[in-house]
Amino acid sequence: MSSSHALKMRLAPWALLLVSASWGLAFVVMKDAIERQSVNSFLFTRFLVAVIAMFLLKPTVIQSINREVLRKGFIAGLFLAAGYILQTLGLALTGAAVTGFITGLYVVATPVIAALVLRVRITAFTWGCVLLATVGLALLSLKGWNLGYGEFLVFLCAIAFAAHIIALSKWSNGLDVYAMTIVQLTTCALATGVISLIQGYEAPPDRNGWYVVLFTAIICTAVAFVVQTWSQAHMSATKVAVILTMEVVFAALFAVVFGGESLSLRTLFGGVLVFAAMFMIVLKEA
């Protein structure tokens, strides 16, 4: 292993942790925006702005979008778009806390899919970290629930996000990261755009709404998915899934710091368990 590759393997988990932090912060800053604009319209605007910004920053990227990048980026983008759309549909039928927990079950779905489809051997230690993260997610999110159609849709969303993680882990290495990210986000923009246009597109209502769109589009989408696509070329899908569960922890933390919400002992303990799982798998999982 070259020293350059070894350095990338050490940096990738911490880069991915920053992605989790940006997504956790997005929950707080998006709260008001999506109350005043339909979710699919918001997602379409967010993905479209991200794609436009990436093209403006590097217009020559079009030369790197070959047939392989287009095919693999499109498939990965379909998984990502399906995750967001199914999550939105499920959220309309069930509670936010339950939606957050079931979405986080991609931490379980990822190693299962990796084992069944890719024949990846998952160690007992890794399964232990997955279980620890799942328990932590439950403590963070669940306050009683009933199984129904909404929960089923969100479960499909978790599978879609797991499939996206698996796809990036298998395909990111050797392909142009920037080009792959643009193809994925363009696919998401097209999918959410069709739905929002059918429902009746709503533009951000005011300047603050556009500020939220710009922040989530540039930082939480363009930059975040470039980092995720790059990181997944240097680490296993299961490790990625466990690290990304920190999004829920950061969301709770930022809700307390910036949103004025209270932090219960149960929530704190759940966050500690997710953090412990993330920390152990970053240090130990091969």
Side-chain angles (χ1 to χ4, degrees):
M1 182 187 298
S2 67
S3 58
S4 175
H5 183 59
L7 177 61
K8 290 176 181 177
M9 289 185 66
R10 288 196 298 270
L11 290 177
W14 305 110
L16 206 57
L17 187 61
L18 291 177
V19 169
S20 298
S22 74
W23 289 346
L25 181 58
F27 272 110
V28 178
V29 301
M30 284 169 49
K31 184 176 181 180
D32 178 64
I34 61 176
E35 287 177 354
R36 297 183 296 127
Q37 181 188 13
S38 71
V39 175
N40 279 307
S41 291
F42 177 85
L43 288 175
F44 171 54
T45 311
R46 169 181 170 177
F47 285 122
L48 182 62
V49 170
V51 170
I52 292 172
M54 291 184 72
F55 269 117
L56 290 176
L57 185 62
K58 189 179 179 182
T60 56
V61 70
I62 195 71
Q63 301 170 8
S64 301
I65 303 178
N66 54 33
R67 183 174 298 179
E68 183 181 15
V69 169
L70 191 61
R71 177 175 62 86
K72 293 179 177 178
F74 177 71
I75 294 172
L78 284 179
F79 289 137
L80 186 61
Y84 277 108
I85 292 168
L86 288 166
Q87 185 183 57
T88 302
L89 293 173
L91 184 59
L93 299 172
T94 189
V98 173
T99 299
F101 169 70
I102 300 177
T103 299
L105 289 180
Y106 64 72
V107 74
V108 178
T110 298
V112 171
I113 294 174
L116 294 177
V117 178
L118 303 181
R119 306 298 183 192
V120 175
R121 180 180 175 273
I122 310 298
T123 66
F125 174 81
T126 301
W127 278 118
C129 290
V130 167
L131 177 62
L132 191 63
T134 304
V135 173
L137 284 170
L139 292 173
L140 275 165
S141 306
L142 290 185
K143 296 177 182 177
W145 63 333
N146 295 311
L147 287 175
Y149 184 59
E151 288 79 11
F152 176 69
L153 290 176
V154 181
F155 178 68
L156 293 180
C157 144
I159 294 177
F161 282 144
H164 177 250
I165 292 171
I166 294 289
L168 288 187
S169 289
K170 186 170 177 60
W171 292 335
S172 292
N173 196 16
L175 295 181
D176 187 288
V177 170
Y178 205 86
M180 273 283 288
T181 304
I182 279 188
V183 173
Q184 290 177 74
L185 298 185
T186 300
T187 304
C188 289
L190 289 172
T192 55
V194 168
I195 294 175
S196 66
L197 290 174
I198 291 173
Q199 293 175 336
Y201 174 72
E202 301 173 3
D206 51 31
R207 182 181 299 176
N208 287 337
W210 277 107
Y211 287 155
V212 173
V213 166
L214 289 173
F215 172 74
T216 56
I218 304 302
I219 303 300
C220 306
T221 304
V223 174
F225 283 109
V226 166
V227 172
Q228 183 185 355
T229 303
W230 172 81
S231 297
Q232 292 204 224
H234 307 290
M235 56 199 302
S236 73
T238 302
K239 182 185 287 188
V240 169
V242 172
I243 294 173
L244 289 181
T245 58
M246 282 294 293
E247 172 188 358
V248 182
V249 178
F250 282 117
L253 176 63
F254 291 135
V256 171
V257 176
F258 300 115
E261 296 186 14
S262 59
L263 183 65
S264 68
L265 184 61
R266 169 179 164 157
T267 301
L268 180 62
F269 185 55
V272 169
L273 291 183
V274 175
F275 179 79
M278 183 279 301
F279 191 73
M280 289 191 298
I281 205 166
V282 166
L283 291 182
K284 300 290 185 180
E285 199 257 342

